[in-house]
Amino acid sequence: MIFDDNYSMTIDGKAVVSDAGIAVVNPATEEVIGHAPDASRAQLDAAVTAAKNAFPAWSARPIGERQAMIAAIADHMLRHKSAMARLFTAEQGRPLGGAEWEIDVCAQWCQAVAGFTLPVELVEDNDTRRVEIHHRPIGVVGAITPWNAPLLMAIWKMAPALLAGNTVVLKPSPYTPLSTLKLGELLRDVLPAGVLNIVSGGNDLGQWITAHPDIGKVSFTGSTATGKRVMESAAQTLKRVTLELGGNDAAIVLPDVDPKTIAPQLFWGAFFNSAQVCVAIKRLYIHADIYDAVAHELVEHAKTVALGDGAQQGVDLGPVQNGMQYEKVKQLLDDARAAGQKFLIGGEVPEGPGYFIPISIVDNPPENSRVVTEEAFGPVLPLLKYDDIDDVLRRANDSETGLGGSIWSNDLDQARAIGARLETGTVWINEMFAFLPNAPFGGHKQSGVGVEHGMAGLLEFTNSQTITSRKLASAV
Ligand code: NAD
């Protein structure tokens, strides 16, 4: 039985445990639900060696075989969906429906990535010369993931990395390692030994990955502060890096929308996963003409949302995932209260157990207040009033980060024109979280380096190789 309480790493296709263990806590109860191995440096070395040894055969396989194995990952995840979702909810906190959604998206992603191939571009082909551009796998990819969407972040890295012919050493967050370890266990029967290695441990393990001389690329998702450390460490061996980092995304609501219709979409764009989404709405700019009406509808919607243990029926929103984040969000609330800011709903955090923060909506706080300038990564949303498009765009763009943003209007041409002026990697118009396997996703400014997804994302797992060939001059 795979979904028991024993958790092991996957190194060279085998189960590996460690003397030390990391206690994993259910954020709804604060009870320890399992222990993940805490990998030693020697165990990381073993994982990297296994990946390095598996690389020649894996990269030499016809791409059709790799495509078939990536599609098979989808089948395995779907087959174990309900057990995996229960474990996901227990360690991550998100209600079961949202956990199942993540597994469904992982499966769709694998199916889509399995349809990709590496292009060969012919830039010159004539009687004397042929010039081709190929894309070669890099070797061993180190993948490091955060705790807000552990399975999806893992799939977003390993599926394209493997398809391109790389082998992988993946490290989940120490807060949410369990479902990723089980995914590794499931895939021992699907992928050849050494092709996918899953190691668990703390931040030191992440640091060892970024410094390891036999890892050729690091694909990292996490905070901007850690992303900078990753890039610095990777520079010592000139590793390729893709960094998907934090954001403080603005949504701009134009005056032509119907507040009642739009409120649930805005609400879930901000609060899905208890607002622990890199591209959630984190600053909501509403035109002054409809500010009061939209604010009212958001609060009315918030009152219908049940907060609780995600394993229970009827719960819509779970706790914040860990104690560190819980304290951080509580401090932001304290700061807003101390500054005399008004909460339209929420603002007071009840006593535990569980890292529960009630939905908190702040009424038009000053633009320079912490709830506006900082990424809360928890259920605190500032509503901000504006009158003028140039002014709101200036405010929306006044951020060191530039991950995503959204525009809400019935006038699509106008919305697209405004959206084009956002300094962000993604602009959504009248929708949220439209992640697409065939469209690049990445951050401007300090939200990241490089992209995931689409052909551009796939090619970040490759080195470019130009082959020029000229016919030898005839001897005559
Ligand atoms: P984090 O940076 O604290 O940790 C992310 C991962 O990095 C963890 O696995 C951690 O163990 C590891 N790590 C920590 N220190 C390291 C080091 N020195 N070297 C290498 N690895 C190290 O981030 P988090 O708190 O887990 O995640 C929340 C953040 O992630 C938010 O800022 C959020 O916006 C961002 N995020 C971004 C995206 C995106 O696609 N842009 C997606 C999800 C989350």
Side-chain angles (χ1 to χ4, degrees):
M1 211 231 347
I2 285 190
F3 285 88
D4 56 16
D5 291 341
N6 298 315
Y7 299 97
S8 53
M9 302 188 284
T10 299
I11 297 177
D12 207 10
K14 294 184 224 32
V16 175
V17 293
S18 72
D19 298 337
I22 301 171
V24 179
V25 169
N26 179 334
T29 61
E30 294 184 51
E31 282 163 10
V32 173
I33 54 165
H35 287 85
D38 190 2
S40 64
R41 196 185 273 260
Q43 286 172 323
L44 174 66
D45 286 344
V48 175
T49 301
K52 196 176 167 185
N53 291 341
F55 174 70
W58 177 248
S59 56
R61 275 178 187 256
I63 193 163
E65 291 182 17
R66 298 202 298 268
Q67 289 170 326
M69 284 188 240
I70 286 157
I73 297 175
D75 300 339
H76 276 67
M77 291 188 82
L78 291 176
R79 202 169 304 139
H80 294 271
K81 179 163 125 182
S82 51
M84 207 169 219
R86 279 196 299 278
L87 176 61
F88 184 108
T89 296
E91 73 169 342
Q92 205 281 335
R94 191 187 310 160
L96 276 172
E100 289 184 353
W101 168 86
E102 178 152 337
I103 295 163
D104 285 337
V105 179
C106 287
Q108 288 157 14
W109 218 270
C110 289
Q111 282 151 357
V113 170
F116 277 81
T117 51
L118 290 173
V120 178
E121 201 185 338
L122 197 58
V123 290
E124 190 180 322
D125 190 20
N126 53 41
D127 287 348
T128 52
R129 196 161 182 244
R130 184 178 165 93
V131 180
E132 299 164 355
I133 301 170
H134 293 259
H135 299 278
R136 306 297 187 204
I138 295 168
V140 180
V141 168
I144 302 176
T145 56
W147 42 260
N148 61 331
L151 289 174
L152 193 56
M153 297 301 113
I155 291 293
W156 280 3
K157 297 183 184 319
M158 70 194 218
L162 295 175
L163 181 96
N166 302 283
T167 53
V168 172
V169 175
L170 187 143
K171 185 199 94 68
S173 164
Y175 291 116
T176 54
L178 302 183
S179 40
T180 311
L181 289 170
K182 286 295 175 195
L183 176 63
E185 204 174 324
L186 272 184
L187 299 183
R188 282 177 206 154
D189 292 339
V190 178
L191 298 164
V195 165
L196 173 68
N197 304 274
I198 311 251
V199 290
S200 52
N203 297 344
D204 284 356
L205 177 62
Q207 211 276 323
W208 299 338
I209 289 174
T210 62
H212 203 292
D214 288 333
I215 291 181
K217 177 188 170 107
V218 171
S219 178
F220 170 84
T221 299
S223 63
T224 296
T226 309
K228 290 178 186 176
R229 272 177 236 130
V230 169
M231 195 160 177
E232 208 177 327
S233 172
Q236 302 311 310
T237 44
L238 286 182
K239 287 183 180 49
R240 285 86 184 104
V241 289
T242 299
L243 305 176
E244 295 288 357
L245 310 177
N248 194 11
D249 293 9
I252 299 176
V253 181
L254 301 195
D256 68 346
V257 302
D258 173 37
K260 205 177 179 64
T261 313
I262 205 174
Q265 296 175 65
L266 293 175
F267 180 88
W268 288 109
F271 290 103
F272 173 72
N273 201 31
S274 295
Q276 302 162 117
V277 180
C278 53
V279 279
I281 297 173
K282 292 176 186 147
R283 296 175 288 156
L284 180 50
Y285 291 96
I286 307 166
H287 194 275
D289 289 354
I290 55 165
Y291 180 91
D292 290 341
V294 173
H296 171 77
E297 294 298 339
L298 280 169
V299 170
E300 288 309 301
H301 190 79
K303 289 179 188 162
T304 68
V305 171
L307 178 69
D309 183 339
Q312 309 289 329
Q313 286 284 330
V315 167
D316 304 306
L317 268 191
V320 165
Q321 199 281 320
N322 58 69
M324 179 271 303
Q325 194 64 25
Y326 178 68
E327 292 303 328
K328 197 177 142 199
V329 178
K330 277 207 302 190
Q331 272 179 20
L332 271 187
L333 291 175
D334 290 346
D335 185 79
R337 249 194 325 274
Q341 290 159 20
K342 181 174 153 210
F343 287 91
L344 297 173
I345 190 167
E348 296 289 341
V349 179
E351 284 295 309
Y355 305 132
F356 291 103
I357 305 252
I359 296 157
S360 301
I361 300 181
V362 192
D363 186 18
N364 203 26
E367 199 72 15
N368 63 357
S369 54
R370 283 183 61 198
V371 276
V372 180
T373 58
E374 289 183 26
E375 180 192 34
F377 223 58
V380 184
L381 178 68
L383 307 188
L384 299 146
K385 212 178 272 186
Y386 78 91
D387 290 301
D388 174 72
I389 281 296
D390 288 334
D391 172 58
V392 76
L393 278 166
R394 183 191 53 73
R395 291 157 69 189
N397 286 332
D398 184 17
S399 169
E400 286 181 343
T401 57
L403 192 56
S406 59
I407 313 289
W408 301 80
S409 172
N410 282 306
D411 182 341
L412 289 181
D413 287 338
Q414 191 194 10
R416 275 190 288 263
I418 295 169
R421 295 171 63 194
L422 283 175
E423 296 165 358
T424 60
T426 297
V427 177
W428 285 312
I429 293 169
N430 299 334
E431 63 179 348
M432 288 294 295
F433 309 143
F435 299 110
L436 302 167
N438 54 2
F441 172 78
H444 292 190
K445 303 195 258 186
Q446 295 193 27
S447 284
V449 172
V451 294
E452 291 188 308
H453 317 328
M455 188 49 72
L458 178 64
L459 294 185
E460 289 204 16
F461 288 107
T462 65
N463 282 320
S464 175
Q465 184 182 54
T466 301
I467 300 184
T468 78
S469 45
R470 183 184 281 274
K471 290 187 180 141
L472 286 174
S474 128
V476 213

